[in-house]
Amino acid sequence: MEKKSGVSALDFFCIGFGAIVGVGWAVSINSWMNGSGGPLPAATGYMVAMVLMVPIALCYCELCTMLPVSGGGMAYAFRAFGDRIAFLSGWAAFGAFITIIPWEAIYVVDILSIVFPVLKAGAPLYTLAGADIYIGHIILGTVISILLYFINRKGVASSASLQKVLCMALVGAGVLAMICAVIKFDIGNLQPFYENTGTGEHSSFLGGMASILASVPFFLAGFETIPQGIESAGGDTKGVGKTVVMTVVLSCLFYALLLFTLGGALPWKSFIKFSNPSAALMFKELYPGGVGNILYALILLGAVCGLLTTWNGFMMASSQILMAMAHVSRKAGGRRVF
């Protein structure tokens, strides 16, 4: 039986942070710059998003302390509004969680194919929506899915242990990218501070900032995974509640700092022309030779860890919310569970 004391506030932070920060920073961060008119509007958009999202995180902080049960928003809706709203809330959350998992399975194999070209060896089995599907993709994706299933089957503590290792690798790769970018940083590379490159419907710095602000909530999806496993917190619900807020704040800062540092390492108008994985390719150009190749591999490793943390986090959250909905549906003598 799983020990509740085995899941600490740090574990829950890694679950939330890992679920939020996936692969976008490593492979398509230049697309964010392109769509918002430069790295500064994009970074500012994330800082504004942090201010807007913190009150929501504070609500979750308070609620998960008051109701330390699995289910998150579904449990809160059940207590406040009853069965019907909780039913809608629970299945909507489960649908949002579960639809992310297949995307992660596809993308993690796609990134690994860059590192290990053998995964694309031979003729493709078939083509779907213009993408070639190889036997290596199917085998590897299936193996990872099964491994994550058995890890999560053991409980939240097992999932959290894996998440902590992967999250540390993800953060390490991101910090390394920032440091190496700062070494090559030139304020002139950030100029022009704003320019519509033709991909966005905006004409000013504020417009560019607003354009990325519209998509930021999607990239911050994941902090709601923390309350899903709070029953395993071992009584430290107050500490877990605080991690919800810290996850939102540090995720926004992580994205903003990457946009600023990577945007200043190369002229950003040149950087937006890079193909995926853009951040990894940037370091091959910044540091020609062996150092650049090592950084390229480490950034890709961080990207893979980011995909796995999101995959693992949402798999844990999906199972926990199903368990919570099962609790809600079970009533003893008319008494509600929450």
Side-chain angles (χ1 to χ4, degrees):
M1 184 175 179
E2 181 184 347
K3 294 182 179 180
K4 290 187 177 183
S5 59
V7 187
S8 65
L10 176 61
D11 294 322
F12 280 105
F13 171 79
C14 291
I15 288 173
F17 188 88
I20 291 174
V21 180
V23 69
W25 68 273
V27 300
S28 58
I29 193 170
N30 60 340
S31 298
W32 302 348
M33 299 179 189
N34 191 24
S36 58
L40 290 184
T44 305
Y46 270 99
M47 296 306 293
V48 173
M50 180 180 71
V51 176
L52 296 177
M53 294 294 290
V54 162
I56 299 173
L58 286 170
C59 292
Y60 272 88
C61 174
E62 186 71 18
L63 287 167
C64 69
T65 303
M66 293 171 60
L67 290 174
V69 295
S70 298
M74 185 277 301
Y76 314 147
F78 183 88
R79 173 63 67 88
F81 303 109
D83 298 3
R84 294 182 179 179
I85 300 300
F87 177 87
L88 295 175
S89 174
W91 282 107
F94 177 76
F97 293 162
I98 203 72
T99 52
I100 292 175
I101 294 175
W103 186 90
E104 300 297 328
I106 294 169
Y107 217 139
V108 72
V109 176
D110 196 40
I111 295 296
L112 285 173
S113 296
I114 300 174
V115 184
F116 305 106
V118 68
L119 292 173
K120 288 187 175 182
L125 290 178
Y126 57 91
T127 300
L128 182 63
D132 293 331
I133 310 300
Y134 296 84
I135 185 64
H137 288 179
I138 296 175
I139 293 174
L140 183 59
T142 303
V143 168
I144 296 174
S145 298
I146 293 172
L147 287 174
L148 288 177
Y149 163 75
F150 279 107
I151 289 171
N152 279 271
R153 190 172 184 272
K154 293 182 178 180
V156 176
S158 178
S159 175
S161 297
L162 172 64
Q163 193 80 345
K164 185 157 56 176
V165 174
L166 294 173
C167 190
M168 294 303 176
L170 162 64
V171 172
V175 171
L176 178 65
M178 293 181 205
I179 293 172
C180 293
V182 166
I183 293 173
K184 300 288 187 177
F185 189 88
D186 185 344
I187 193 67
N189 291 333
L190 295 173
Q191 296 177 347
F193 296 143
Y194 167 80
E195 181 177 322
N196 188 335
T197 54
T199 59
E201 297 181 0
H202 45 78
S203 57
S204 66
F205 187 99
L206 289 177
M209 181 194 73
S211 69
I212 197 167
L213 187 60
S215 64
V216 164
F218 171 80
F219 290 105
L220 293 182
F223 70 87
E224 212 270 332
T225 59
I226 294 175
Q228 301 300 335
I230 198 170
E231 287 187 16
S232 302
D236 185 22
T237 56
K238 184 177 292 186
V240 174
K242 292 178 181 178
T243 64
V244 178
V245 181
M246 292 302 298
T247 298
V248 172
V249 171
L250 293 181
S251 297
C252 288
L253 287 175
F254 184 81
Y255 280 133
L257 287 173
L258 279 168
L259 283 161
F260 180 75
T261 54
L262 269 63
L266 277 178
W268 72 266
K269 292 185 68 176
S270 299
F271 183 41
I272 61 175
K273 299 176 183 177
F274 281 33
S275 59
N276 290 336
S278 58
L281 290 172
M282 166 188 277
F283 289 104
K284 291 189 79 170
E285 181 164 330
L286 287 175
Y287 297 91
V291 174
N293 289 329
I294 292 173
L295 290 173
Y296 175 83
L298 290 175
I299 297 301
L300 284 182
L301 174 63
V304 171
C305 289
L307 286 164
L308 292 175
T309 55
T310 304
W311 190 348
N312 182 55
F314 280 105
M315 183 174 285
M316 182 278 294
S318 300
S319 62
Q320 291 295 306
I321 200 168
L322 281 179
M323 180 185 72
M325 287 193 286
H327 286 172
V328 171
S329 66
R330 187 180 69 244
K331 298 180 180 180
R335 180 178 61 85
R336 291 180 176 179
V337 177
F338 298 142

